Amino acid sequence: MESQNHTEENRIRQQRRRTSMNTEQRQEYLTRRRASYQATRALRSREQQEQHLTEIRQQYHSQSTERRQELLSMRCTIYRRTQPTFGDDISTANQSTILPPQNEENSTSITIEHDNTSISRPPVIRRRRNNRNSARDFHESIGVTRSHLCAPTTCTFCGARLLPHESSDFCCLNGRVSLPLMPVPPELLSIYNDETEVGRHFRKYIRMYNHIFAFTSMGVHLDGDLANGIEGVYSFRAQGAIYHKIGGFLPSSSERPRFLQLYIYDTDNEINNRVTENPTLNVELVERLRSILDVHNPFVHRFRQLAQEPNIESCQLIIREQPRNRPQYNLPTASEVAAIIVGGEEAGQLNGRDIIVQSHSGHLMNVPDTAGYYDPLQYPLLLPCGTYGWDVNTQNGAASRTKVTCRDYYSYMLQIRDSWDNLLLRGCRLLQQYVVDIFLKMETQKFRWVRNNQSKIRAEMYNGLQDSFEAGINISGHVGRRIILPSSIVGCPRDMGERFQDAMRVVGYSGKPDLFITMTSNPSWDEIRDLLLPGQIPQDRPDLLSRVFHAKFEEFKDDIFDKGVLGKVVAYAYVIEFQKRGLPHAHMLLILGDDDKLNCPDVYNQVVKAEIPLQSDQPELYTCVLKHMIHGPCGTINPRSPCMQKGKCKKHFPKPFVPYTVQGNDCYPLYQRRDMGQVPLGRGRNVYVDNSWVVPYNPWLLLK
């Protein structure tokens, strides 16, 4: 009686609790109840199947020997007739209903022995009817077609090599942009292509060689941990803005000559002055580079002429911008790039971006990023002939003679063309510095336009004064001129707010995400190595890494969204980021359809694995897991690992062993990690790992 009253009280209490719930709480409660019901139902169904199979086996063993042989023959005949040729997989449960369970071996056929009678049957060949859910419950024996991009095509307008999912808009806007290609001195090209120790030394220290020949200095806050090249992959990452500065062409009495001054002051000891910047530089190589620039660079020609002036103290140097409306492209001459003013001569008419360099200057002048000489003054080893870079007057070489934007100009110049030896793509570490520099130049042009066109973007509609008060700025002296950034600026607060609201609306309409997937870039992809130039390694070509990753990611989206290898996707959201080592990676959230939801640990195990497979069972997957899905190792094995903070791994590795997958409480599931012993990691180190170091993965996607 008391138990009945207690049950009735619990029922009334639960009913009151459900009545007091709001819509979201009630929906979450019903979702948990459905998941619990489906898990219980699946467990009961599995128990009923096992009980039914036990009864069949008992009936089978109770028969006489003749009857057993007759049953075996009948079931084998039925099995051969119903074996699929291109149909569904044969599950383990269905196989056990055909014949009694026996000891399985790792052979290619299955043999059952009973009462001196041997019956052989062909191996079970798993085949998929279509791509739907092919990444679930995957085994290596099923097979998967490796992802390999199609051969690159060639743009019919500019001859650029295009990877899959790239069009002619990527290189020349379908022929609307046509620019002359930069000339390359053959003697400098031979240094870039040198496969000897001297060539490898030059490519490794190319930023330092460019630094000692540059005419301007660079002001940048550089992340030294990533740019040291000692540990991990070299990556040039700048924080904040980049400034190019130029000073006087004569040093003060207490300073040694640097940058532009090296071409003018104390030229007899020029080599020693340059090598003083870094003693590791090769003196003979420095002499070769100086002789090449003396022949081909017009800025060097002008500076050498200035060094011959007898009254150099009273001279001035005017560095001129690129002439407007040039009828055809020619290499700049010494008289065009700079002018020497002696004594009291007039400077003449100066353009807005011309720079006057004094003999002794007490301060450094900024080189405007809208001037054409911005690039050749800083990168003489990439632009040895003094080729002007982009400026506000750069025009299209086609008949239209229209102006070319900064992005379109550099997109055209950084392409791979079989008919042109592009020094920009051979710059290795200097290429990384160059692309970061021009990216910041493009961003600066964008922000400058927004600042000067506040009326066009209707900034008054943002109600800046009201925004200030909402942000807590209620002192009138603190409210100055505000530059409104529209949501078209990627990464600005309004852009991030809109993306967040869109994502929350998707979740509110379609439900919570079911899968969180990360796709990383692999520098060892064949498509990357096939396009590398002689002597290069993947980290020398950030353009290739990004372009190949983009093409691979498009195929990945085709597998996930169109083919539905993980199930029907009703909504998704993803973001592409760059790791600290410069490699792109994508984070993706998937919301699956109701028929493909992950509702219980058994379904989790079909999609996500967190164990090292047996080498004898799945050798290819075993190799891939050890190569790509092992964290670190860190901790006591490697205390200097980047993931270590205060003596602990911030990713919480190694993970604890779990005998079976468990649904977490409002968190990620605890995936199955059985203690199956340690295996050698390889990688040239005497390190052994177990399942506690495995990053969760999907076997189909990993092998793909």
Side-chain angles (χ1 to χ4, degrees):
M1 189 66 177
E2 293 180 358
S3 60
Q4 294 180 357
N5 294 335
H6 184 69
T7 304
E8 184 67 19
E9 290 177 359
N10 288 338
R11 187 184 63 80
I12 296 174
R13 190 182 300 110
Q14 292 178 1
Q15 185 176 2
R16 290 176 179 175
R17 189 184 300 114
R18 289 195 298 269
T19 305
S20 62
M21 292 180 181
N22 56 30
T23 304
E24 295 180 356
Q25 293 176 344
R26 187 178 297 106
Q27 185 67 26
E28 185 177 359
Y29 170 78
L30 293 176
T31 303
R32 291 199 305 266
R33 289 294 302 271
R34 292 192 192 99
S36 177
Y37 170 77
Q38 292 177 0
T40 305
R41 184 178 179 182
L43 181 61
R44 291 177 179 175
S45 176
R46 185 163 58 251
E47 292 176 352
Q48 292 175 358
Q49 290 179 1
E50 293 178 356
Q51 183 179 1
H52 180 64
L53 293 176
T54 302
E55 294 176 356
I56 292 178
R57 295 190 185 105
Q58 291 177 355
Q59 294 178 3
Y60 172 80
H61 290 291
S62 63
Q63 301 292 335
S64 61
T65 304
E66 293 78 6
R67 181 59 179 169
R68 291 181 187 179
Q69 293 180 359
E70 183 180 355
L71 289 174
L72 284 175
S73 301
M74 292 172 57
R75 291 173 182 174
C76 288
T77 302
I78 296 174
Y79 167 75
R80 293 191 185 97
R81 291 177 179 176
T82 59
Q83 184 180 8
T85 56
F86 51 86
D88 299 329
D89 297 346
I90 299 177
S91 62
T92 306
N94 292 336
Q95 296 174 23
S96 61
T97 58
I98 297 174
L99 292 172
Q102 301 289 335
N103 294 330
E104 297 182 357
E105 301 295 338
N106 295 326
S107 58
T108 57
S109 62
I110 301 177
T111 303
I112 299 178
E113 296 182 359
H114 182 75
D115 293 342
N116 298 325
T117 304
S118 176
I119 302 176
S120 299
R121 67 181 185 186
V124 176
I125 302 176
R126 295 183 174 183
R127 294 187 178 93
R128 298 285 185 190
R129 177 175 298 172
N130 49 38
N131 291 313
R132 180 73 180 274
N133 286 327
S134 58
R136 294 194 178 198
D137 196 19
F138 175 79
H139 191 275
E140 186 179 306
S141 60
I142 299 175
V144 59
T145 303
R146 290 300 185 95
S147 173
H148 196 280
L149 299 178
C150 301
T153 59
T154 302
C155 176
T156 57
F157 301 101
C158 65
R161 190 179 299 181
L162 300 176
L163 298 180
H165 306 284
E166 293 178 350
S167 64
S168 297
D169 285 336
F170 178 72
C171 54
C172 62
L173 296 179
N174 285 320
R176 294 193 297 272
V177 176
S178 178
L179 299 172
L181 302 180
M182 295 178 293
V184 180
E187 53 269 35
L188 182 59
L189 182 62
S190 64
I191 298 178
Y192 276 94
N193 295 335
D194 191 2
E195 294 290 341
T196 64
E197 187 64 30
V198 176
R200 289 190 291 269
H201 169 82
F202 171 73
R203 289 187 291 271
K204 181 179 180 179
Y205 296 99
I206 187 172
R207 287 190 61 240
M208 182 54 63
Y209 280 103
N210 183 81
H211 174 76
I212 65 175
F213 284 102
F215 307 100
T216 59
S217 62
M218 172 182 283
V220 57
H221 182 66
L222 190 63
D223 191 338
D225 294 337
L226 299 178
N228 55 20
I230 299 176
E231 295 184 0
V233 178
Y234 175 87
S235 181
F236 186 93
R237 189 175 74 167
Q239 299 175 352
I242 291 181
Y243 302 96
H244 293 187
K245 296 181 178 293
I246 190 170
F249 53 79
L250 291 179
S252 61
S253 58
S254 60
E255 297 179 353
R256 58 184 177 86
R258 302 187 67 187
F259 301 108
L260 171 64
Q261 302 165 356
L262 291 170
Y263 294 92
I264 302 171
Y265 179 79
D266 193 16
T267 55
D268 294 336
N269 298 316
E270 179 181 350
I271 299 299
N272 294 332
N273 292 333
R274 295 186 186 278
V275 177
T276 304
E277 296 283 343
N278 191 339
T280 60
L281 301 181
N282 189 312
V283 177
E284 295 182 358
L285 191 55
V286 173
E287 292 179 351
R288 291 175 59 187
L289 294 174
R290 183 190 66 168
S291 61
I292 293 173
L293 294 179
D294 286 345
V295 173
H296 297 280
N297 197 295
F299 290 97
V300 177
H301 297 167
R302 205 56 164 170
F303 299 154
R304 298 297 189 194
Q305 293 175 10
L306 179 60
Q308 302 300 323
E309 291 290 337
N311 51 350
I312 189 174
E313 295 284 344
S314 60
C315 292
Q316 293 180 342
L317 182 67
I318 301 178
I319 301 178
R320 299 190 180 278
E321 67 173 339
Q322 184 176 2
R324 293 187 178 184
N325 300 324
R326 181 178 293 183
Q328 61 181 1
Y329 181 83
N330 294 314
L331 287 177
T333 61
S335 60
E336 292 177 342
V337 300
I340 300 174
I341 302 177
V342 181
E345 295 182 4
E346 294 293 334
Q349 185 178 2
L350 297 178
N351 295 320
R353 285 173 294 277
D354 290 347
I355 295 180
I356 299 180
V357 183
Q358 307 286 343
S359 58
H360 295 281
S361 178
H363 64 279
L364 298 176
M365 295 180 294
N366 281 330
V367 179
D369 56 5
T370 56
Y373 50 74
Y374 182 87
D375 292 350
L377 290 180
Q378 179 61 37
Y379 302 100
L381 296 187
L382 294 180
L383 306 169
C385 296
T387 308
Y388 278 105
W390 176 87
D391 64 10
V392 293
N393 298 320
T394 300
Q395 293 184 348
N396 192 355
S400 60
R401 305 297 296 173
T402 57
K403 287 188 177 181
V404 179
T405 63
C406 183
R407 178 188 177 278
D408 294 339
Y409 176 87
Y410 289 108
S411 179
Y412 188 91
M413 288 298 178
L414 289 172
Q415 296 299 322
I416 304 172
R417 294 181 175 88
D418 296 333
S419 59
W420 177 39
D421 291 321
N422 192 350
L423 282 187
L424 297 178
L425 301 182
R426 300 175 184 270
C428 299
R429 296 183 176 183
L430 186 59
L431 172 62
Q432 293 194 28
Q433 175 182 329
Y434 181 72
V435 295
V436 171
D437 198 350
I438 63 177
F439 173 78
L440 291 179
K441 181 193 293 189
M442 289 187 288
E443 290 294 298
T444 303
Q445 301 300 318
K446 187 188 303 181
F447 287 123
R448 186 178 292 120
W449 186 92
V450 171
R451 183 187 62 187
N452 298 332
N453 294 270
Q454 289 285 287
S455 60
K456 292 184 179 180
I457 64 174
R458 303 178 69 182
E460 70 277 359
M461 300 299 293
Y462 292 100
N463 199 357
L465 186 61
Q466 183 65 29
D467 290 346
S468 299
F469 282 113
E470 291 179 357
I473 305 176
N474 52 14
I475 303 176
S476 60
H478 292 170
V479 181
R481 183 190 176 191
R482 303 183 67 212
I483 304 299
I484 301 299
L485 297 179
S487 58
S488 59
I489 303 296
V490 178
C492 74
R494 284 182 174 82
D495 171 64
M496 301 299 290
E498 288 185 2
R499 294 177 185 272
F500 171 76
Q501 293 173 8
D502 292 342
M504 292 300 100
R505 179 54 183 161
V506 169
V507 172
Y509 180 80
S510 302
K512 296 181 180 179
D514 297 290
L515 289 173
F516 176 72
I517 303 177
T518 299
M519 177 182 175
T520 59
S521 177
N522 184 1
S524 300
W525 279 332
D526 294 336
E527 294 85 354
I528 295 177
R529 296 192 173 276
D530 292 342
L531 293 175
L532 291 177
L533 296 173
Q536 289 185 341
I537 56 179
Q539 69 183 34
D540 295 335
R541 295 293 301 276
D543 60 319
L544 273 184
L545 294 176
S546 298
R547 293 174 62 182
V548 173
F549 175 80
H550 172 74
K552 292 274 191 179
F553 186 62
E554 290 298 321
E555 292 194 353
F556 172 76
K557 291 194 297 183
D558 178 68
D559 290 333
I560 298 295
F561 304 145
D562 298 336
K563 299 179 181 178
V565 297
L566 291 171
K568 182 180 179 180
V569 178
V570 297
Y572 65 91
Y574 68 87
V575 61
I576 298 179
E577 301 173 346
F578 281 81
Q579 302 169 350
K580 287 188 175 181
R581 55 179 181 170
L583 299 177
H585 65 281
H587 298 303
M588 180 180 292
L589 290 172
L590 301 181
I591 302 177
L592 302 178
D594 294 337
D595 295 336
D596 297 314
K597 289 287 187 181
L598 310 180
N599 297 320
C600 62
D602 289 340
V603 183
Y604 300 160
N605 291 334
Q606 295 179 3
V607 180
V608 182
K609 303 291 184 182
E611 292 183 330
I612 303 174
L614 296 177
Q615 187 176 12
S616 58
D617 184 32
Q618 304 184 78
E620 194 171 357
L621 182 61
Y622 172 85
T623 303
C624 289
V625 170
L626 291 182
K627 185 177 181 180
H628 302 294
M629 304 309 299
I630 300 298
H631 175 80
C634 57
T636 57
I637 301 177
N638 184 15
R640 300 181 62 183
S641 178
C643 64
M644 295 295 292
Q645 289 184 354
K646 298 181 180 180
K648 295 182 179 179
C649 175
K650 61 183 180 181
K651 304 297 183 181
H652 307 292
F653 280 91
K655 302 286 186 179
F657 291 111
V658 180
Y660 49 86
T661 301
V662 179
Q663 172 62 58
N665 184 16
D666 266 347
C667 65
Y668 290 107
L670 300 179
Y671 298 112
Q672 183 182 41
R673 297 176 185 269
R674 294 168 292 183
D675 188 1
M676 303 172 61
Q678 295 183 337
V679 296
L681 179 60
R683 303 181 187 176
R685 295 183 297 174
N686 188 20
V687 178
Y688 287 80
V689 295
D690 51 28
N691 290 333
S692 61
W693 295 99
V694 178
V695 179
Y697 64 94
N698 178 267
W700 190 91
L701 293 176
L702 180 58
L703 289 177
K704 178 73 173 183

